[in-house]
Amino acid sequence: MSDNAGAAEQVLQRLFTDPEAIRNPYPLYAQLRDLAPMHRAQIIPVWVFSGYPEVDHAFRTVSFGKRDELTRGFGHELADDQTYAFMSKHSIVRQNPPDHTRLKGLISREFTARRVQNMAPHIEALTKELLGRVEDPSDFDLMNALAFNLPVRVLGELLGVPEADQGQFRDLTISITKLIDPSCSPEMLVKAKADCLVMERYFLDLIAERRRKPSDDLTTALINVRDGEDRITEDELLATIMVLFFGGVETTTSVIGSLVLSLLQHPDQLAAVRADRTLVPGAVDETLRFQSPIQATARTVLESSVIDGVELAEGDIVLTYLGSANRDPRRFTDPDTFDIRRETGQHLAFAAGMHFCIGAALARLETGIALNQILDRFVDLALIDDTPDWRPNATARGLDTLRLSGTMA
Ligand code: HEM
């Protein structure tokens, strides 16, 4: 191993094991990018891409696709014959063309921009209801009060998950996300797999229930695609409904929390956005860049290729560190500065290319509504704890709690 590769390996080791890296992984990412933006790791058998051009290339180039990256890529051996439905080989996130193209077309046909835009008044009403439940504005946890409950209610209603059932999904999603965390312990892995099956059973029952009693939700619409036109398999139906739910809950929860934290840590920008709400969309996207809810995803090399003289063999797995790419000075000026007026159009928080996130518009809409209403409802917002805890996950980045004090406007 060259000196650079050896040093990069040590950085990676710290990234996966040092508790400080959970609080602030960005200095380690910077070292990794400088030492080796394409690093052949030893600690787990993958390539680690940490630079913007490298990650962007992997997202947009057809020789990088999906195969074994979820079963092997995060350092855990997950058997594909066990379902883990939404992560299974039937899930859109793990498909290549032509199946990916077919599934994306079908889902996009049902989950249209208009369907999302039509949800705005309802999301506003839900946000108002949830914030209205805050009893003591002088000390409340935003993650509990709003950041988790809003996405779970929105996706629950979209897919027809009754409100009474929604509460159980917070712990389940946090546990299941450990499957994509290279620092996950064997015990947590066992729990994550078991929780996957709990969630899978829930959604199997929901599908059966909607077949008996159709509704106007997205689950029923997808069942109709399956039963009417036979263009989606039963396994794909389950995986799709689960990926829509799971993909949208923890991620949106995280960005709502990180957005409010970042603004409170930058009072001048909080004041600016309070005074001029046209800055809200920029603040949302800058948070997606600055604290990407998914720090890394993965690809499998489908055709051997050479990038900048580095040879990648067919079957190699690549961890694409978009959280690091989004801080790459080769792409963003002063990347470690939070700046809501920055042009962030090209950040990679939703990936890029064919697997670009289906829920991006919904996540942006929800987060923007959440911020507007928080600003409308509370003045003198302040952090009770200046250094809130991040959930212990090296891949899914979000706050555990965010204790705030404020006064009702
Ligand atoms: C801030 C919130 C969100 C973030 C940061 C996020 C991030 C991502 C990323 C990085 C990917 C690409 C994964 C890969 O290529 O390996 C992705 C794909 C996906 N996301 Fe999201 N997501 C968010 C919200 C949502 C929501 C609200 C939904 C559902 C309504 C959703 C559903 C999906 C689906 C179905 C895919 C698979 C797309 C494909 O493979 O073509 N996401 N998301």
Side-chain angles (χ1 to χ4, degrees), residues 135-156:
E135 281 173 10
D136 178 6
S138 69
D139 186 348
F140 68 102
D141 172 17
L142 187 77
M143 303 312 284
N144 231 344
L146 182 75
F148 170 72
N149 287 323
L150 181 63
V152 88
R153 288 277 298 268
V154 169
L155 285 163

Side-chain angles (χ1 to χ4, degrees), residues 59 66 69 91-95 100 104 107 111 155 158 218 240 243-255 288 292-294 296-299 320 322 348-360 362-364 366-367:
F59 283 159
K66 302 285 187 151
E69 63 293 330
S91 166
I92 180 168
V93 227
R94 291 198 47 204
Q95 301 276 0
H100 178 267
K104 197 130 190 181
I107 301 172
F111 191 54
L155 285 163
L158 187 76
L218 193 55
T240 299
V243 81
L244 284 170
F245 184 81
F246 181 86
V249 172
E250 185 164 306
T251 47
T252 313
T253 300
S254 299
V255 74
L288 285 161
S292 304
I294 297 180
T297 175
R299 296 288 182 269
T320 39
L322 58 89
L348 298 174
F350 293 119
M354 80 169 83
H355 289 281
F356 183 82
C357 176
I358 285 181
L362 177 61
R364 286 182 167 124
E366 273 179 71
T367 310

Side-chain angles (χ1 to χ4, degrees), residues 2-40:
S2 72
D3 286 354
N4 269 14
E9 192 61 23
Q10 283 177 13
V11 173
L12 200 61
Q13 201 115 27
R14 283 187 57 204
L15 203 54
F16 292 165
T17 54
D18 185 346
E20 175 58 20
I22 294 290
R23 203 183 64 74
N24 182 11
Y26 303 108
L28 294 175
Y29 290 162
Q31 289 177 34
L32 206 51
R33 284 192 308 266
D34 286 348
L35 288 163
M38 288 181 283
H39 169 60
R40 183 73 170 130

Side-chain angles (χ1 to χ4, degrees), residues 134-317:
V134 172
E135 281 173 10
D136 178 6
S138 69
D139 186 348
F140 68 102
D141 172 17
L142 187 77
M143 303 312 284
N144 231 344
L146 182 75
F148 170 72
N149 287 323
L150 181 63
V152 88
R153 288 277 298 268
V154 169
L155 285 163
E157 288 180 24
L158 187 76
L159 291 165
V161 176
E163 194 188 335
D165 295 346
Q166 291 167 5
Q168 65 184 303
F169 289 111
R170 181 165 198 189
D171 288 346
L172 283 177
T173 51
I174 289 175
S175 159
I176 291 169
T177 317
K178 290 304 241 179
L179 290 174
I180 54 160
D181 178 4
S183 66
C184 173
S185 70
E187 297 74 35
M188 285 169 176
L189 199 60
V190 169
K191 180 161 165 32
K193 289 184 197 175
D195 285 342
C196 252
L197 296 178
V198 171
M199 193 151 154
E200 183 180 321
R201 244 171 271 129
Y202 180 87
F203 281 94
L204 279 171
D205 288 347
L206 182 71
I207 291 171
E209 170 69 17
R210 283 297 175 276
R211 278 207 166 101
R212 276 194 300 274
K213 233 165 78 190
S215 168
D216 64 353
D217 53 38
L218 193 55
T219 298
T220 307
L222 289 165
I223 290 172
N224 289 341
V225 172
R226 154 97 185 122
D227 296 351
E229 301 157 44
D230 206 18
R231 291 214 285 147
I232 178 170
T233 68
E234 195 66 24
D235 287 330
E236 287 170 348
L237 175 68
L238 173 65
T240 299
I241 292 167
M242 286 183 72
V243 81
L244 284 170
F245 184 81
F246 181 86
V249 172
E250 185 164 306
T251 47
T252 313
T253 300
S254 299
V255 74
I256 293 172
S258 303
L259 169 59
V260 173
L261 174 68
S262 302
L263 286 173
L264 286 166
Q265 288 173 333
H266 298 83
D268 53 327
Q269 300 192 54
L270 176 60
V273 75
R274 192 181 271 291
D276 176 4
R277 300 302 176 85
T278 63
L279 294 172
V280 167
V284 171
D285 266 82
E286 174 64 347
T287 307
L288 285 161
R289 180 194 74 82
F290 193 69
Q291 297 286 10
S292 304
I294 297 180
Q295 293 277 302
T297 175
R299 296 288 182 269
T300 300
V301 178
L302 300 181
E303 269 171 48
S304 51
S305 43
V306 179
I307 310 175
D308 288 344
V310 174
E311 283 180 36
L312 295 133
E314 193 226 317
D316 282 356
I317 293 173

